[in-house]
């Protein structure tokens, strides 16, 4: 299978701070590849290098078969970029934006207008008329942004945190649009700090932390690497949580308290299990013997969230840094 | 339907054609802005008119004009040049907004010549300036300003004004690529004023203390003001310093110098966006 995006040993420093410290990537054609990491991990820097906006200090990268430094013009012809901020003209209407960017892709005027109408319809924006983009909702802007990125059906599309700041409905709208693009054969490199997003969209994920790829694989592989399934127990009374955690840890043979998660708000204990078939009835029996009332109990695959915390050492995941150099 | 991007042009002529076409697309964008936000356009065009009325009628009576000439005859060439100066703010704001909103990055990710974006900006801003200057000239004629040296010299004066605006275009582009954030916009909006006032726009330098008159006469704006006053046959041309005596030359030298400094700086700044 051929690769639409490859990178070897990409390096980039901002002053004394290394943003990328030797990143390798290989994105297969026609797939969604997730670049997952906390703020400041280097995701946006990687995307900016791959889209020719930034020159790497070291390493090489090819997009759609072209070198991002030496054949930048060819790369630009082969890509669509949807950055973190909807890069649209807010005074113009959606259609005027699409026509303008279509013209900048060197479509003839009539072709640019036809393409604009087609994309407006495809992204559910046909009814927006002459309304300026400045008055669009967040989800509408993002969809228009995607539409602009798709004007010339680029073989490779870069999406840099496409759903940041969107409400759940807007997020679903964008996800549906991305799925439709991939179904039509586009390769997508997606950065995200939402683990659910990578899980939903990406067939492979590279976990990035501090400018390096710390793990790579399918979402399932990454989850398996963490040690298989987890057992969730929700107790009726919050006071029972510590006891339930101790029991769950003992019965499942979890090595130490660290791997047993406690969520007081949800009254939930979560422990990794090795033996799927035995764990659930045993834990249930032990809890019953201790007089703990169970509200819910279930076996499940670990979330990418847990994989992520495990791999990146739980750093920075709740921080929200702003600023170009720091973000991503 | 899938649409395929046309091949990248490989010859110089084809590249030039693309750059011109793309530049025009970027210009059209600004023209669409005028059509979609006419209120903003009208406000921008009428702002210098308001200043003419304010100075011409409110302060005009107290102003000394060399040779006892009419103050509004003296004021208008100053205001024409001031209108060129206000253009810095327009260019700066547009460039800075595109940079912060990510539009500049989107342009840079497209298969277009980097010169096209700047070209489009220049044409749009110059068209806007021509419109603004036309409004100001009508305003001038309405308040009693006249050109006395014939249409050819008046046209030459307009040419000098547009040259000054072209120089300020590059100052605006450079500032827009270098500074960003609302504070920077505010700073530029405010700093335009002392630069404008420290010239011969509103007051004859003959009424100023010697050192201040020298500062005002060395202001590049004053060279254009003095030269256009001369060409229009309005009072107030000339002065005591060397620059004032060579205003016609300096009205060419200053703008060309500004272009010579800020054009390469802007290009360098744009190229370095990938660092």
């Amino acid at each position: 299978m051929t690769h639409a995006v490859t990178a070897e040993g990409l390096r980039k420093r901002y002053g004394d701070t290394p943003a990328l410290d030797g990143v390798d990537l290989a994105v297969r054609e026609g797939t969604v590849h997730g670049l997952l990491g906390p703020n400041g991990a280097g995701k946006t820097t990687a995307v900016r290098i791959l889209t020719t906006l930034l020159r790497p200090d070291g390493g090489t990268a090819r997009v759609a078969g072209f070198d991002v430094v030496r054949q930048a013009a060819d790369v630009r012809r082969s890509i669509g970029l949807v950055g973190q901020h909807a890069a649209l003209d807010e005074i113009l209407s959606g259609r005027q934006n699409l026509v303008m960017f279509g013209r900048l892709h060197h479509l003839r005027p009539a072709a640019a207008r036809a393409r604009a109408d087609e994309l407006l319809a495809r992204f559910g924006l046909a009814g927006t008329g002459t309304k300026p983009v400045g008055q669009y909702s967040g989800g509408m802007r993002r969809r228009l942004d995607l539409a602009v990125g798709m004007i010339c059906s680029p073989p490779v599309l870069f999406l840099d945190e496409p759903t940041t700041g969107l409400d759940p409905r807007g997020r679903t709208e964008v996800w549906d649009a991305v799925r439709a693009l991939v179904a039509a054969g586009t390769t997508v490199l997606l950065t995200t700090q939402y683990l659910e997003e990578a899980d939903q969209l990406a067939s492979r994920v590279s976990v990035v932390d501090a400018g390096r790829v710390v793990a790579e694989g399918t979402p399932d592989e990454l989850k398996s690497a963490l040690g298989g399934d987890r057992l969730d127990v929700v107790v009726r009374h919050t006071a029972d949580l510590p006891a339930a955690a101790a029991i769950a840890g003992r019965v499942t043979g979890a090595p130490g308290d660290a791997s047993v998660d406690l969520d007081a708000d949800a009254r939930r204990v979560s422990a990794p299990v090795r033996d799927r078939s035995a764990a659930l009835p045993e834990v249930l029996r032990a809890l019953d013997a201790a007089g703990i009332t169970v509200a819910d109990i279930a076996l499940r695959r670990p979330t990418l969230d847990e994989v992520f915390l495990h791999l990146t050492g739980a750093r920075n995941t709740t921080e929200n840094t702003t600023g170009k150099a720091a973000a991503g | 339907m899938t649409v395929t991007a046309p091949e990248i042009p490989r010859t110089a002529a084809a590249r030039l054609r693309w750059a011109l076409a793309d530049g025009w697309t970027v210009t059209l964008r600004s023209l669409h802005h005028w059509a979609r936000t006419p209120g903003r356009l009208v406000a921008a065009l009428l702002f210098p008119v308001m200043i003419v009325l304010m100075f011409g009628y409110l302060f005009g009576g107290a102003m000394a004009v060399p040779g006892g000439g009419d103050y509004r005859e003296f004021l208008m060439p100053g205001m024409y040049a001031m209108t060129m100066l206000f253009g810095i703010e327009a260019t700066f704001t547009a460039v800075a907004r595109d940079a912060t909103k990510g539009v500049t990055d989107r342009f840079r990710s497209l298969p277009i010549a980097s010169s096209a974006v700047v070209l489009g900006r220049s044409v749009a801003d110059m068209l806007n300036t021509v419109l603004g200057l036309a409004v100001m000239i009508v305003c001038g004629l309405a308040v009693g300003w006249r050109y006395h040296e014939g249409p050819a010299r008046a046209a030459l004066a307009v040419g000098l004004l547009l040259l000054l605006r072209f120089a300020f275009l590059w100052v605006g582009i450079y500032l827009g690529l270098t500074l960003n954030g609302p504070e920077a916009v505010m700073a530029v909006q405010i700093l335009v004023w002392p630069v404008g006032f420290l010239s011969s726009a509103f007051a004859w330098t003959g009424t100023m203390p010697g050192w201040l008159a020298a500062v005002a006469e060395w202001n590049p704006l004053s060279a254009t003001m003095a030269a256009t006053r001369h060409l229009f046959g309005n009072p107030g041309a000339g002065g005591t310093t060397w620059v004032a005596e060579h205003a016609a030359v300096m009205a060419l030298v200053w703008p060309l110098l500004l272009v010579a400094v800020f054009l390469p700086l802007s290009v360098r700044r744009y190229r370095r966006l990938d660092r």
Side-chain angles (χ1 to χ4, degrees):
Chain A
M1 206 171 204
T2 48
H3 291 102
V5 179
T6 56
E8 279 167 31
L10 278 188
R11 284 171 201 285
K12 182 73 190 175
R13 302 178 75 84
Y14 293 112
D16 284 339
T17 326
L20 290 187
D21 195 13
V23 163
D24 299 328
L25 267 182
V27 180
R28 273 179 285 188
E29 240 169 46
T31 65
V32 179
H33 192 105
L35 219 51
L36 179 65
N39 269 322
K43 305 187 299 289
T44 295
T45 304
V47 166
R48 289 176 67 80
I49 289 174
L50 294 172
T51 53
T52 76
L53 296 180
L54 209 58
R55 194 176 274 267
D57 296 336
T60 57
R62 297 182 83 79
V63 172
F66 301 110
D67 186 283
V68 295
V69 175
R70 284 180 289 111
Q71 295 167 298
D74 294 286
V75 171
R76 287 181 199 136
R77 186 178 160 261
S78 314
I79 59 167
L81 168 64
V82 179
Q84 278 187 22
H85 313 283
L88 301 161
D89 187 305
E90 305 210 333
I91 296 173
L92 299 184
S93 69
R95 188 169 186 272
Q96 283 177 317
N97 267 284
L98 283 166
V99 172
M100 173 178 76
F101 285 112
R103 293 287 291 136
L104 291 176
H105 277 286
H106 305 102
L107 301 182
R108 303 202 163 277
R113 286 192 291 270
R115 183 63 171 162
D117 291 330
E118 186 201 343
L119 287 169
L120 285 174
R122 197 210 292 184
F123 285 89
L125 296 165
T128 51
T130 60
K131 186 154 97 167
V133 170
Q135 291 174 19
Y136 278 24
S137 72
M140 287 164 72
R141 260 179 221 235
R142 275 291 168 190
R143 276 181 287 148
L144 181 62
D145 211 20
L146 273 172
V148 169
M150 286 308 299
I151 287 174
C152 267
S153 317
V156 187
L157 186 63
F158 292 88
L159 303 176
D160 194 6
E161 304 199 1
T163 60
T164 296
L166 290 189
D167 58 17
R169 189 177 152 209
R171 194 170 296 181
T172 312
E173 286 172 0
V174 170
W175 286 352
D176 289 344
V178 172
R179 286 195 187 99
L181 296 178
V182 176
T186 303
T187 307
V188 175
L189 183 72
L190 167 103
T191 80
T192 183
Q193 42 178 329
Y194 300 117
L195 312 134
E196 194 198 347
E197 190 159 276
D199 213 357
Q200 287 269 344
L201 294 175
S203 52
R204 287 189 83 78
V205 173
S206 296
V207 182
V208 186
D209 188 42
R212 302 185 67 89
V213 175
V214 292
E216 211 239 276
T218 66
D220 277 348
E221 282 169 2
L222 290 174
K223 289 175 198 172
S224 303
L226 188 62
D229 297 344
R230 294 185 77 88
L231 179 70
D232 282 359
V233 179
V234 178
V235 297
R236 177 83 64 203
H237 307 292
T238 315
D240 290 338
L241 267 181
I247 289 167
R250 177 167 47 77
V251 176
T252 59
D257 290 341
S259 51
V260 180
D261 291 337
L262 263 179
D263 184 342
D265 292 334
R267 299 192 308 278
R268 187 173 57 222
V269 169
S270 176
V273 292
R274 289 188 193 130
D275 185 349
R276 276 182 75 94
S277 50
L280 197 133
E282 275 177 32
V283 169
L284 204 50
R285 225 175 354 254
L287 289 169
D288 192 39
I292 295 169
T293 321
V294 174
D296 197 6
I297 185 162
L299 265 174
R300 63 169 175 82
R301 311 276 293 148
T303 63
L304 216 39
D305 220 333
E306 287 156 336
V307 177
F308 185 69
L309 291 178
H310 177 74
L311 287 170
T312 63
R315 290 195 310 105
N316 294 335
T317 46
T318 52
E319 262 176 53
N320 259 316
T321 46
T322 48
K324 225 174 190 176
Chain B
M1 182 178 104
T2 55
V3 173
T4 320
E7 281 294 330
I8 306 280
R10 306 287 172 187
T11 67
R15 268 202 288 270
L16 180 67
R17 254 199 316 278
W18 269 36
L20 291 177
D22 295 339
W24 178 240
T25 303
V26 176
T27 299
L28 266 184
R29 172 189 177 210
S30 293
L31 301 188
H32 283 311
H33 283 187
W34 300 1
R36 291 181 66 86
T37 51
R40 215 182 278 189
L41 176 67
V42 170
L45 292 176
L46 290 186
F47 178 68
V49 172
M50 183 192 81
I51 298 185
V52 168
L53 299 179
M54 216 164 78
F55 275 85
Y57 293 93
L58 216 56
F59 303 126
M63 293 291 192
V65 177
D70 178 57
Y71 178 66
R72 289 192 291 278
E73 283 260 290
F74 168 83
L75 175 67
M76 284 318 296
M79 276 311 300
Y80 297 151
M82 282 295 284
T83 309
M84 303 301 106
L85 177 68
F86 294 145
I88 285 190
E89 194 190 315
T91 303
F92 163 78
T93 315
V95 173
R97 196 195 299 121
D98 277 357
T100 34
K101 292 270 177 192
V103 175
T104 304
D105 277 348
R106 174 157 261 160
F107 282 146
R108 291 176 60 228
S109 77
L110 295 174
I112 60 175
S114 53
S115 59
V117 180
V118 173
L119 181 70
R121 169 96 273 134
S122 318
V123 174
D125 283 2
M126 290 311 287
L127 285 176
N128 188 286
T129 301
V130 168
L131 189 63
L133 196 53
V135 169
M136 282 300 284
I137 288 173
V138 170
C139 162
L141 292 169
V143 301
W145 168 84
R146 295 290 179 271
Y147 57 93
H148 306 282
E149 305 285 327
R153 303 195 80 179
L156 204 58
V158 167
L160 284 179
L161 288 165
L162 294 179
L163 176 67
L164 184 67
R165 177 64 182 91
F166 184 72
F168 287 153
L169 182 79
W170 292 102
V171 179
I173 289 176
Y174 178 70
L175 292 177
L177 289 174
T178 310
L179 311 169
N180 45 44
E183 304 86 4
V185 174
M186 187 91 100
V188 170
Q189 281 172 343
I190 292 172
L191 282 174
V192 157
W193 289 98
V195 172
F197 273 95
L198 267 179
S199 71
S200 64
F202 303 105
W204 176 41
T205 51
T207 63
M208 299 176 190
W211 64 273
L212 192 61
V215 171
E217 285 175 7
W218 277 94
N219 185 334
L221 281 168
S222 298
T224 301
M225 291 169 185
T228 51
R229 278 178 182 134
H230 181 71
L231 288 167
F232 286 133
N234 298 138
T240 50
T241 54
W242 180 89
V243 265
E245 281 161 15
H246 297 82
V249 179
M250 292 312 286
L252 286 173
V253 169
W254 278 126
L256 294 178
L257 196 65
L258 285 173
V259 173
V261 171
F262 284 97
L263 192 149
L265 275 179
S266 302
V267 170
R268 184 162 164 273
R269 188 81 198 94
Y270 194 85
R271 293 247 168 90
R272 288 196 163 206
L273 289 175
D274 71 355
R275 300 265 167 126

